[in-house]
């Protein structure tokens, strides 16, 4: 319709094969928990999401790692996301700076404090570029820069600092993303 109202459903699937380099362990290399971790082998997993979008309002919800609800095994862990939700509202600005979109997110975490995120997405240069900034309740932040090319390709780089509780042990992470519209669409 004229307000751009859409209902989206998504399902993603992945194969995970994780292992620890036992030779690099500083400690008992025969620890049964390390050996059990490496004996898990590959497994399939999936995520499900739903979203309502309009020209201004966006509401999202997702259930990650569906495998953990179906298969109850000894590798079930805490400190993982079990539910995600977000809401945002796009505010039109003008020619140079096209829109500003504040966003609030909530992640339910099994066995730990839930995470709240508050962020902004600023679109500029006729929606060809975007700048993101997000503050996380874990006392970390994310900054990002996105570029749309030829209305079918989108590139995004994001840097996230580590949570304050582990910042002295590790650096943040950089995520580089590429999105390509394979089928005919007006724009990303």
């Amino acid at each position: 319709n004229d307000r751009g109202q859409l209902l989206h459903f998504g399902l993603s699937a992945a194969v995970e094969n994780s292992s620890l380099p036992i030779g690099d362990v500083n400690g008992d290399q025969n620890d049964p928990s390390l050996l059990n971790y490496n004996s898990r082998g590959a497994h399939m997993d999936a995520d499900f999401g739903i979203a309502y979008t309009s020209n201004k309002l966006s509401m999202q919800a997702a259930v990650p790692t569906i495998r953990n609800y179906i298969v109850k095994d000894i590798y079930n862990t805490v400190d993982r996301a079990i539910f995600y939700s977000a809401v945002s509202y796009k505010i039109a600005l003008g020619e140079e700076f096209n829109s500003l979109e504040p966003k609030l997110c909530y992640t339910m975490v099994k066995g730990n404090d839930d995470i709240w995120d508050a962020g902004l997405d600023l679109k500029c240069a006729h929606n060809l570029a975007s700048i993101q900034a997000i503050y996380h309740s874990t006392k970390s932040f994310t900054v990002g820069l996105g570029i749309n090319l030829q209305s079918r390709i989108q590139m995004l780089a994001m840097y996230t600092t580590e949570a304050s509780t582990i910042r002295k042990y590790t650096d943040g992470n950089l995520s580089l993303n590429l999105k390509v519209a394979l089928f005919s669409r007006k724009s990303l």
Side-chain angles (χ1 to χ4, degrees):
N1 63 27
D2 62 339
R3 291 181 290 187
Q5 295 178 328
L6 295 170
L7 189 58
H8 309 266
F9 294 92
L11 182 65
S12 68
V15 176
E16 181 180 347
N17 188 8
S18 300
S19 65
L20 295 170
I22 299 293
D24 294 342
V25 170
N26 185 7
D28 183 4
Q29 294 181 354
N30 293 316
D31 184 330
S33 61
L34 296 176
L35 300 174
N36 284 342
Y37 184 85
N38 280 352
S39 69
R40 297 190 320 171
H43 66 270
M44 292 277 304
D45 206 343
D47 306 323
F48 172 75
I50 186 170
Y52 163 82
T53 59
S54 71
N55 292 340
K56 295 183 181 242
L57 180 66
S58 174
M59 295 185 293
Q60 306 164 352
V63 177
T65 58
I66 294 173
R67 180 181 188 270
N68 289 313
Y69 296 99
I70 299 169
V71 178
K72 303 292 183 197
D73 59 23
I74 61 172
Y75 308 113
N76 198 5
T77 61
V78 296
D79 298 341
R80 63 177 172 81
I82 58 174
F83 178 74
Y84 170 82
S85 62
V87 62
S88 66
Y89 189 80
K90 189 180 292 187
I91 303 164
L93 297 176
E95 281 292 314
E96 292 180 29
F97 296 103
N98 307 120
S99 65
L100 180 66
E101 187 170 2
K103 187 172 198 173
L104 183 63
C105 306
Y106 169 74
T107 305
M108 186 183 297
V109 180
K110 180 181 180 185
N112 210 331
D113 294 336
D114 297 342
I115 300 170
W116 288 91
D117 306 310
L120 295 171
D121 182 9
L122 176 66
K123 300 264 196 255
C124 51
H126 303 284
N127 291 319
L128 294 177
S130 62
I131 301 168
Q132 296 90 21
I134 306 165
Y135 178 77
H136 311 282
S137 63
T138 57
K139 297 184 178 145
S140 63
F141 65 89
T142 300
V143 292
L145 175 64
I147 299 172
N148 291 332
L149 303 170
Q150 302 172 355
S151 75
R152 297 183 63 79
I153 300 171
Q154 184 178 47
M155 296 183 338
L156 179 64
M158 299 193 89
Y159 176 77
T160 302
T161 63
E162 289 299 337
S164 63
T165 55
I166 62 171
R167 196 168 290 144
K168 63 184 174 183
Y169 303 111
T170 183
D171 293 329
N173 65 60
L174 177 65
S175 173
L176 301 173
N177 305 283
L178 176 66
K179 179 178 179 180
V180 179
L182 298 176
F183 303 103
S184 179
R185 294 172 57 161
K186 291 181 182 176
S187 65
L188 291 174

